[in-house]
Every structure is written in structure tokens, then in C-alpha cells.
Amino acid sequence: MKIWFKRYLLLMPLVIWLLIFLVFPYCYIFIQSFFETDNFGKTIPGVSLDSYKRAFSNSLYIGTIFRTLMYAVLVAIICILLSLPLAYWIAFKVKKNKTFMYTLIALPLWVSYIIRAYAWKIILGREGVLNTFFQWAHITDKPVEYFLYSTFSTIVCLVYILTPFVAIPIYTAFEQIPKSLIEAAKDLGAGSFTTFRKVVFPLALPGIISGGTFALVLTMGDFLSPLLLGGPNTLFISNIVQNLFGTSNDRPLGSAVGILILLLIFLIIAIAARAEKKYSSLKSDAR
Amino acid sequence: MKSFSIKNFFVSFSAIAVLLFLYFPLAVIVLFSFNADTVSSFPIKHFSLKWYSVLFSDVELLRSVGTSITIAIISTLIALIIGIPAAYTMHKYDFKGKKLIDKIVLMPITLPGIVTGVAMLSFFPFVGVKISLTAVAFGHVTFLCAIVVTQMLARFKRLDPYLEQAAYDLGATPSATFFKVILPNIKTAIIGCVLLCLVLSMDEIPVTFFLIAGNNTLPLEIYAMMRRGITPEVNAISTLIFIFSTAAILLSLKLNKEK
């Protein structure tokens, strides 16, 4: 009894903290999504599906969820395409200073989000680095307006911020491939591209899927990139939630949309986990 | 053989291009922080330290740095105090619900910040935490727990189990064992973890965004400056943040690798 008590005494502060400041808040927005609002925007407790009905019937909500999902898929694909050569190069071509190269990919992850987003503002701006460079080099004679404050700049920023998240699991997957398998493929006469397509890529697929999932999920939940770099027509679902809790002040609807985002993310993670399992079975077949 | 080397060149070339893509924006910020002009245009005509002196006389900005440092220190301390004993228990014993705690503690990192932010905004007033800097600190503690617990669990796993056994055999009490044997052995890991927590707290936006009232933290002050228009002062403060956080992270990575 005494030992049992001591054990839990050490664990309890964390458990209590997480319950009060994390689990209860999550439960509360679930409950709040069934509340109603009166004409003055005041939240009235109750049990109603009104918010969900509104979320599903208005294309501003349901449409934006799907549009954001499309953007997220695009961001994930670009991140994977950028990560593949980088991860491949460090895993198979770089012989010296591998740890240093790995640190180079991981480091931007830890650099302040706001700084990395701000960088694109001075690069893509009307009088920014890229436009003035183009004019200086006589590639264009007028500044390109759509570089900044557009969906384009938002996507560029998200790709930039999320690429390290995708590159790390892909690199780890490449590193885990036994070098003997690659040598065997080469000995049997496969070219380097065939080896990549038939040996390296299938074996690294679980890593590629988990990297892509990171990009997908993080884009779904990002509200800062669109806020900082987006144009008047750039609307991501997180910005709608942020507005519903801010200026629009419709917390039940905001909670409902938030719950829908969470459900979609859980679905994506579940599908990805199944796909990872399915393709990692290749590994045991290859024994 | 020739086509092989072309392919090789292509892989190296695209990899280096991606690496440049990752570092080009940071290089631009650092470079343009020394630009004397108000507009960040290419090419730079005059170099100067002007924006750094503007920065050090910006009262609002300096105050936000103070706010951020205070919040980072307080929330890191609380996260360590509740996180390390919990990680120690989770490492030492098997019990029901351990996996669940493992999952829950990671939620602030795995779930989107926007949902965590609005959830805290909605619920905190019910437990008497008004939307204020206190709420921000509490929100930070919650996500820093994820860092402390995972980092410390990883460290405890690498700890020699005979160390503890030897202490008990020599008659040490459990608390003496923890404070005199275990703690000194995980000291470097704790320092590494502290550095990581400080950097993450100083940079946090999604949760802070919803819980703040009045005084801004550093990233939110930068956000406000950006909304007011681009001032090269942001380049200067960004360069300083970049240098400090890179140094802290590299040191933290190094400390975590030590035995």
C-alpha cells in the first residue's frame, strides 16, 4: 500500500496537470460544439446539432475544409519530392560528416516559426529580394505582384517550414536499408535508377508515408502561414476557426469546425498507419 | 559508366539545391539585417549596424523579450518539476494506463496547435485561469511536459540499472538514491532538456496567440511589427534570435548525446 502510494505520488502532479490543462479543454470544446448562440453571439449551453448542420450546409466551412485538404496534399507531395534527393544524398552519397549533414536538416526545425515565415515576406515582397533581383538582372521590368500575399506564397512558406519534418523520416528509412541489398541489386546488373525504383523506394515507403503524413496534418492545423503570407482570397480552415473564436465570436460553430478538423486528422493518421504497416511487410518478405 | 556519373551529379545537385532552399531564407535575413536601407531590395548598397541600435532602443520590443524570458523560465521550471518524477516512475514501473499517459502527454505536439489553442482559451477561465500571461505560461507548461517526459524517459533508458541497485545495496534510501545517484548522472540530459524547453517556449505562437491579453511575448511582438509593415528592425531581432536558438539547440543536442 505504501509503495503503491509513493509511486503514484510521483506520477500524480503530471496526470493532474494534463487532465486540467489538456484533457478537460479538449473535452470542453467537444461539448461546446453542441451549444447554441443567441442573436447577440452569446453562447447558450444546450444539446443541439445546429453548429454541425451549419458547418456541413455552408460551403464556407465544408468547402474550405476540402480546399485546405487539397493544399495539404499538394504541400506534402512537394515536400516529399524535395526530401527524396536530399535524404538519398545524405544517406548514400555523403561519406564524411554525416552527423553534421543530418544536423543541417534538423536545425531549421528548431528555428522560430515567425522568423522563417518573415523571411519569405522580405524575399517575395513587391520591393523584396526576388523582385528587385529580377529587375536588376533584367528578367522582368515590373515587380511580380502575386509572389506575396497569395496562396502561392502561403504554399511556398508551408513547404519551406515542413520539408525538414518530411526529410528526417525519409532519411531514417534510407539509413535502415541494408547496404548489402543495394549491392546485391547492383551485382545482379540493375542500374542505379532501377535499384532505386525496385529496392530503395519500396523499402523506404513507410518512411515516405510517415513524412508525408506529418506535412499533411501540420498544414491542416496551420493558421499562421495564411495569416502572414496569404492574400485576401487565401483561406485555410484554421483561419476560419481562429475567426470564429475571435472577431466572429461564434464559439459553438468554431468548436464544431475544430472537431471536424480533428476527426479528419485522426482519419488521415489511421489511413497512414495502415498504409505504413502494409508496405513495411515488404521488409519481412525480403528476408 | 558515363551515364552513371551524370545521374550521380544530378542527385548531388538537386540535394544541394534543396539544402540551399532550406538555408537561403535564413541567410537573407542575416544579410539584410546589415542593410542600411529601409527597403530590403537587391543589391545591398550600404552596410550598417543601424537596425541593431534601433532595436536596442525599442522599449516595446525589449519588454516583450523580458516577458518571453520570464514565461520561458517559469514554465520550464514547472515542466521539469512535474515531468522528471513522472518520467522516472514511468521508466521504473509498469502500470495500467502507462501507454495512455504516454499518448496524452504528446497530444500538444501531435494535435494541431489551433485546436489546442482554442480549447485552452475556452476552458481555462473555468478553472480560474484568466486569459493573461499566467494562462500563456500554463499553456507552455502543458506542451513542455511532452518534451521533458520524452527526453527524460530516453535518458533513463540509457542509465545503468546497476547504479540504482548498488545504491540500495549500500543502504541508501529511495530519495537519497534519486538525489545523490540518479540526478547527478542525468545532469547533462537535464541541462540539454532545459535549453530545448527555453527555445521552444520563447518561439511558441499557436497557443500563446489565443491565451494572451495585453503584454506581448517576443514572437507575438514580431508578429505585430510585421502587421504594421516590414521594418528592417525585424531582420535584426530575427538574426539575434536565430544565433541564440541555434547555439542553444546545438549545445542541447551535444549534451543529450553525452553519457
Side-chain angles (χ1 to χ4, degrees), chain B residues 37-68:
Chain B
D37 269 339
T38 316
V39 183
S40 301
S41 298
F42 183 88
I44 296 178
K45 292 184 191 86
H46 308 284
F47 286 92
S48 100
L49 289 172
K50 180 172 126 195
W51 300 113
Y52 287 91
S53 64
V54 171
L55 171 81
F56 283 107
S57 49
D58 186 334
V59 182
E60 284 285 305
L61 188 71
L62 293 180
R63 190 186 344 186
S64 76
V65 173
T67 308
S68 269

Side-chain angles (χ1 to χ4, degrees), chain B residues 47-240:
Chain B
F47 286 92
S48 100
L49 289 172
K50 180 172 126 195
W51 300 113
Y52 287 91
S53 64
V54 171
L55 171 81
F56 283 107
S57 49
D58 186 334
V59 182
E60 284 285 305
L61 188 71
L62 293 180
R63 190 186 344 186
S64 76
V65 173
T67 308
S68 269
I69 291 176
T70 314
I71 288 184
I73 292 174
I74 293 173
S75 47
T76 301
L77 267 180
I78 302 178
L80 287 178
I81 292 169
I82 63 178
I84 295 178
Y88 182 64
T89 318
M90 285 167 78
H91 162 69
K92 243 180 118 183
Y93 307 105
D94 254 322
F95 50 87
K96 250 190 198 168
K98 192 162 127 177
K99 278 207 173 122
L100 187 67
I101 298 179
D102 229 12
K103 268 205 174 132
I104 290 174
V105 83
L106 284 175
M107 268 180 10
I109 311 186
T110 47
L111 298 182
I114 175 104
V115 183
T116 313
V118 297
M120 288 177 171
L121 165 73
S122 302
F123 187 74
F124 275 16
F126 284 103
V127 282
V129 182
K130 283 205 190 84
I131 298 311
S132 62
L133 288 179
T134 315
V136 173
F138 280 29
H140 283 200
V141 172
T142 311
F143 81 83
L144 290 181
C145 280
I147 309 293
V148 173
V149 170
T150 45
Q151 294 260 323
M152 284 300 129
L153 262 179
R155 183 64 189 92
F156 284 130
K157 271 185 193 138
R158 284 186 289 134
L159 200 67
D160 187 350
Y162 292 116
L163 254 168
E164 210 179 339
Q165 200 61 54
Y168 285 134
D169 288 350
L170 293 170
T173 59
S175 67
T177 310
F178 183 79
F179 285 106
K180 297 214 161 147
V181 178
I182 295 178
L183 217 50
N185 270 291
I186 58 167
K187 204 170 61 195
T188 48
I190 294 177
I191 299 171
C193 184
V194 166
L195 288 171
L196 207 60
C197 287
L198 291 177
V199 170
L200 288 176
S201 169
M202 297 274 299
D203 288 341
E204 213 281 339
I205 305 177
V207 167
T208 314
F209 190 93
F210 290 101
L211 298 179
I212 205 146
N215 286 349
N216 273 341
T217 60
L218 179 58
L220 282 169
E221 181 61 29
I222 295 177
Y223 171 79
M225 286 164 85
M226 280 169 74
R227 298 219 101 183
R228 275 182 246 136
I230 299 167
T231 78
E233 199 188 336
V234 179
N235 291 334
I237 182 73
S238 299
T239 303
L240 293 181

